[in-house]
Amino acid sequence: MRFENLNLNDNVLDALYDMHFDICTPIQEKTIPEILKGHDVLGVAQTGTGKTAAYLLPILSKLDDGGYPDGAINCIIMSPTRELAQQIDQAMQGFGYYLKGVSSIAVYGGNDGNRYDQEVKSLHLGADMIIATPGRLLSHISLKNVDLSKVSFFVLDEADRMLDMGFSEDIKNIAKELPATCQTIMFSATMPHKIEDLAKTLLKNPVEIKLAVSKPAEKIKQSAYICYETQKLGIVKDIFKSGDLKRVIIFCGSKTKVKQVNGSLQRLNVKSGEMHSDLTQEERDNIMFKFKADQLDVLVATDIVARGIDIDDITMVINYDVPHDAEDYVHRIGRTARADKDGAAITLVNENEQFYFQLIEKFLEKEITKNPLPEDLGEGPEYNKHASKPQRVNNSAKNRRQKDRDYNAHKDKKQHSRKENSQEVSVPTNHTENPNNRRHNPQYRDESDKKGNNRNHYPNNRRKDNGNNQESQQKEGQKQQNRAPRQNNQSEHIQAEYTKRRGNVEGNYKKRQNTTKGTQNRTNRPQHESTLTPAKDKGIKKFIKKLFGFKK
């Protein structure tokens, strides 16, 4: 179907013709009429099918037709990532080139103060369309910078990705600020149960449009390595040593692995860059610009790049970690072999990921080729075609972010060391049960007696004998007599140390006193009387006067 048959606004159609967009995709053909009718829509289609235009074109057409308040926010579009928000804003500027009075702004974090002031100004003035990430918009709502009471359209793009990132509660809190008459549109690449639950909460009698996830292109050469987790990095190095590869994307499951893989490739003199949420917005924009401009050959990234980002000419996709959803696998490798070009997709499968890899093979209805490991890496695990699902650990997005924060702050190491210390140091109920207690352990007491330690030298440390037995007293007396010589030697040694220290102190004090007395004696010393006779003294004075010409 052609766009001119969809009852769109003429200004929107003019922009489409200038961009050489004539034929609708299936998702656009089924979605645009329902949105123009004002129905809530739940659309499910894989990445790259034109979902962005499927909701932007009808919304822009209705806003240009009029009937909506001026100076107010009329549309909110939620995006899981900053890059997708920027891409939606750029698409909106292209589709709305001929529209007058329809403004938009992208609101996301990671910017400087000037950008934040611009966001606040646009929100106060009432931009028609706000493309925002959930966290940033929620912060503006909490600061009373935005009024959502007149919003007419609420769009959730890549809703499943937002839920995977832990934005479920944020989306619900934003939806509470919207009016009841707001038209809600939700698009997702997959349809898990959590998307259905969210749709029941936000949508009102929605029109469901589901397109089956198509299989990957036949020109994609798919293969896999069955390996241990410690062998994955060596396999990646071997792949890049074997040939001069360019336009490659490596998907990793965590930011830590992204940094490790990127560092290893750079040490091999490979032009690579990393893309993850720890980077500032300026750094992320710079990386994407360099990769699109062919300044970087390899992009190592998390699933930020897997959804909605338009990157062409990808020759190879490497899955460093196996995605747990077969449809996510299709979205990842769908980045390559576009426009009837060849491509390759390589997946690294460890022993705990074999179950999920088998789900992918069942979904594709084909067995993926297993490559042999490089010789220098040794042997890998056997591939079990009937692998069971590994025990699930509480690995939600919220827990993953908390774990990353604890890892960066070394909090986990501190807690581990504290646990070890608490296990090592156990407080016994009885003092005599603790072997390290030197005061109550007879072993240390006997050794101290052998060394000649004098406990009775100090009156507070004398052991009390409460017994009335005479024999015990006699034995104690004999022990005291035997200890007497050692005690005397010990006391003499202590006394000698004390007197030595005291002598040093007193000696230093006496030296200081002598020096002060010496200076006083020099200042107060009486002058020596002259031994010269008065006649000789008078003659010397006359000689000096005559010599130097002194006159009276």
Side-chain angles (χ1 to χ4, degrees):
M1 181 181 288
R2 300 179 66 89
F3 283 109
E4 59 186 7
N5 300 328
L6 293 178
N7 197 23
L8 292 172
N9 186 280
D10 292 338
N11 293 328
V12 176
L13 292 175
D14 291 341
L16 290 174
Y17 294 150
D18 291 343
M19 298 169 70
H20 303 286
F21 290 162
D22 297 327
I23 307 299
C24 302
T25 63
I27 188 67
Q28 295 168 355
E29 179 181 349
K30 296 181 180 180
T31 302
I32 292 176
E34 300 298 335
I35 296 177
L36 291 174
K37 294 177 183 178
H39 297 155
D40 287 3
V41 174
L42 173 60
V44 180
Q46 71 182 79
T47 301
T49 56
K51 296 192 297 293
T52 303
Y55 62 79
L56 277 182
L57 295 178
I59 292 175
L60 289 174
S61 181
K62 296 182 74 171
L63 290 176
D64 190 53
D65 290 339
Y68 297 93
D70 296 331
I73 299 174
N74 294 311
C75 178
I76 295 290
I77 301 175
M78 304 304 303
S79 166
T81 62
R82 308 169 191 173
E83 287 71 27
L84 184 56
Q86 290 176 336
Q87 185 170 300
I88 295 171
D89 187 36
Q90 294 171 0
M92 186 270 165
Q93 293 176 7
F95 295 145
Y97 183 80
Y98 293 106
L99 302 183
K100 297 180 180 180
V102 179
S103 58
S104 67
I105 185 173
V107 177
Y108 47 84
N111 295 309
D112 55 7
N114 295 330
R115 173 69 182 181
Y116 180 81
D117 294 338
Q118 183 181 357
E119 291 178 0
V120 174
K121 184 178 179 181
S122 300
L123 293 174
H124 282 306
L125 294 177
D128 291 288
M129 301 184 69
I130 303 296
I131 303 104
T133 54
R136 188 68 161 189
L137 182 59
L138 200 61
S139 65
H140 281 296
I141 293 175
S142 61
L143 295 174
K144 308 296 182 183
N145 292 333
V146 58
D147 181 17
L148 303 182
S149 60
K150 298 180 181 179
V151 174
S152 301
F153 304 97
F154 184 52
V155 182
L156 298 176
D157 196 3
E158 302 290 351
D160 56 343
R161 180 66 182 145
M162 281 192 281
L163 295 187
D164 291 338
M165 297 173 68
F167 290 132
S168 177
E169 294 299 325
D170 294 344
I171 293 173
K172 292 179 181 179
N173 292 332
I174 294 171
K176 293 178 182 178
E177 304 291 331
L178 303 175
T181 58
C182 179
Q183 181 181 358
T184 304
I185 302 164
M186 182 185 297
F187 281 97
S188 176
T190 60
M191 193 63 180
H193 294 293
K194 53 188 177 182
I195 290 293
E196 296 178 356
D197 297 337
L198 183 63
K200 293 178 182 178
T201 304
L202 301 180
L203 303 180
K204 302 177 290 293
N205 299 322
V207 177
E208 296 185 6
I209 300 172
K210 298 181 181 180
L211 299 181
V213 178
S214 59
K215 301 295 187 293
E218 293 296 331
K219 291 189 176 183
I220 300 178
K221 184 180 178 181
Q222 303 180 51
S223 61
Y225 287 93
I226 309 301
C227 59
Y228 293 106
E229 184 67 26
T230 55
Q231 296 174 328
K232 287 186 176 182
L233 201 56
I235 295 173
V236 173
K237 293 179 181 179
D238 185 75
I239 292 173
F240 284 91
K241 286 181 181 178
S242 60
D244 186 16
L245 299 176
K246 295 183 179 180
R247 309 297 293 165
V248 179
I249 298 180
I250 302 177
F251 288 105
C252 299
S254 65
K255 295 176 286 188
T256 304
K257 293 182 181 180
V258 169
K259 298 174 184 177
Q260 292 175 351
V261 174
N262 182 52
S264 300
L265 293 177
Q266 289 180 349
R267 285 189 287 272
L268 294 175
N269 297 324
V270 177
K271 295 180 181 179
S272 64
E274 59 187 44
M275 187 73 171
H276 50 80
S277 58
D278 281 350
L279 301 178
T280 63
Q281 186 58 43
E282 183 179 359
E283 292 172 339
R284 292 164 73 165
D285 294 340
N286 188 29
I287 290 294
M288 292 300 298
F289 173 78
K290 288 182 178 180
F291 188 67
K292 291 181 179 180
D294 292 338
Q295 297 180 15
L296 294 177
D297 296 331
V298 182
L299 180 63
V300 187
T302 56
D303 278 333
I304 290 177
V305 188
R307 299 288 188 87
I309 306 301
D310 188 12
I311 303 175
D312 296 328
D313 301 331
I314 303 299
T315 59
M316 179 181 289
V317 173
I318 299 176
N319 292 311
Y320 195 85
D321 298 304
V322 179
H324 291 186
D325 195 331
E327 296 178 358
D328 289 338
Y329 174 83
V330 175
H331 296 316
R332 285 185 179 185
I333 69 173
R335 294 291 167 191
T336 185
R338 289 189 174 185
D340 294 333
K341 295 182 179 180
D342 295 333
I346 299 176
T347 305
L348 309 183
V349 186
N350 64 22
E351 63 274 17
N352 295 326
E353 296 172 337
Q354 295 183 10
F355 172 78
Y356 301 106
F357 189 72
Q358 291 171 11
L359 296 180
I360 294 173
E361 290 183 326
K362 291 179 181 179
F363 178 79
L364 299 177
E365 298 178 352
K366 61 180 293 187
E367 185 175 352
I368 298 176
T369 305
K370 312 298 187 301
N371 298 327
L373 295 179
E375 295 180 357
D376 56 342
L377 296 180
E379 297 182 356
E382 295 182 0
Y383 183 63
N384 185 8
K385 295 184 178 181
H386 303 285
S388 59
K389 185 176 181 180
Q391 294 182 357
R392 183 176 180 181
V393 184
N394 191 3
N395 196 26
S396 62
K398 185 176 181 180
N399 291 336
R400 289 198 301 270
R401 292 198 299 270
Q402 182 65 40
K403 187 177 180 180
D404 291 338
R405 288 192 292 268
D406 294 344
Y407 177 81
N408 293 331
H410 303 285
K411 187 176 179 181
D412 52 349
K413 295 181 180 179
K414 296 175 183 177
Q415 291 178 351
H416 183 67
S417 61
R418 289 173 184 171
K419 289 181 180 179
E420 288 182 350
N421 293 335
S422 62
Q423 291 175 359
E424 291 177 359
V425 180
S426 58
V427 180
T429 56
N430 188 0
H431 292 291
T432 58
E433 294 177 1
N434 188 359
N436 296 325
N437 194 337
R438 294 180 175 237
R439 182 176 179 181
H440 297 277
N441 193 347
Q443 178 182 356
Y444 289 104
R445 189 169 63 245
D446 295 341
E447 291 179 358
S448 64
D449 291 343
K450 293 178 183 178
K451 294 178 181 180
N453 295 332
N454 185 17
R455 290 189 302 270
N456 292 329
H457 180 73
Y458 303 99
N460 292 333
N461 290 339
R462 292 175 182 170
R463 298 177 62 188
K464 295 180 181 180
D465 189 4
N466 297 326
N468 296 325
N469 193 351
Q470 294 180 358
E471 294 180 359
S472 62
Q473 292 179 0
Q474 291 177 359
K475 291 181 180 180
E476 186 67 25
Q478 292 177 359
K479 289 182 180 180
Q480 293 293 338
Q481 291 177 1
N482 294 332
R483 292 176 186 169
R486 288 177 293 184
Q487 292 176 358
N488 294 333
N489 295 334
Q490 186 72 11
S491 61
E492 290 176 0
H493 178 70
I494 295 173
Q495 184 67 23
E497 289 290 333
Y498 174 74
T499 54
K500 184 179 179 180
R501 295 173 187 168
R502 183 178 178 185
N504 292 336
V505 174
E506 290 180 354
N508 294 334
Y509 176 75
K510 289 178 180 180
K511 288 180 181 179
R512 289 195 298 271
Q513 291 296 324
N514 292 334
T515 54
T516 55
K517 287 180 180 180
T519 54
Q520 292 177 0
N521 293 334
R522 284 196 297 270
T523 55
N524 300 328
R525 182 183 301 169
Q527 297 181 356
H528 295 285
E529 296 181 357
S530 178
T531 57
L532 297 175
T533 60
K536 290 182 179 180
D537 189 18
K538 189 175 180 180
I540 292 174
K541 290 181 179 179
K542 287 182 179 181
F543 174 76
I544 293 174
K545 288 181 181 180
K546 187 181 291 187
L547 180 64
F548 292 100
F550 292 149
K551 295 182 180 181
K552 292 183 180 179

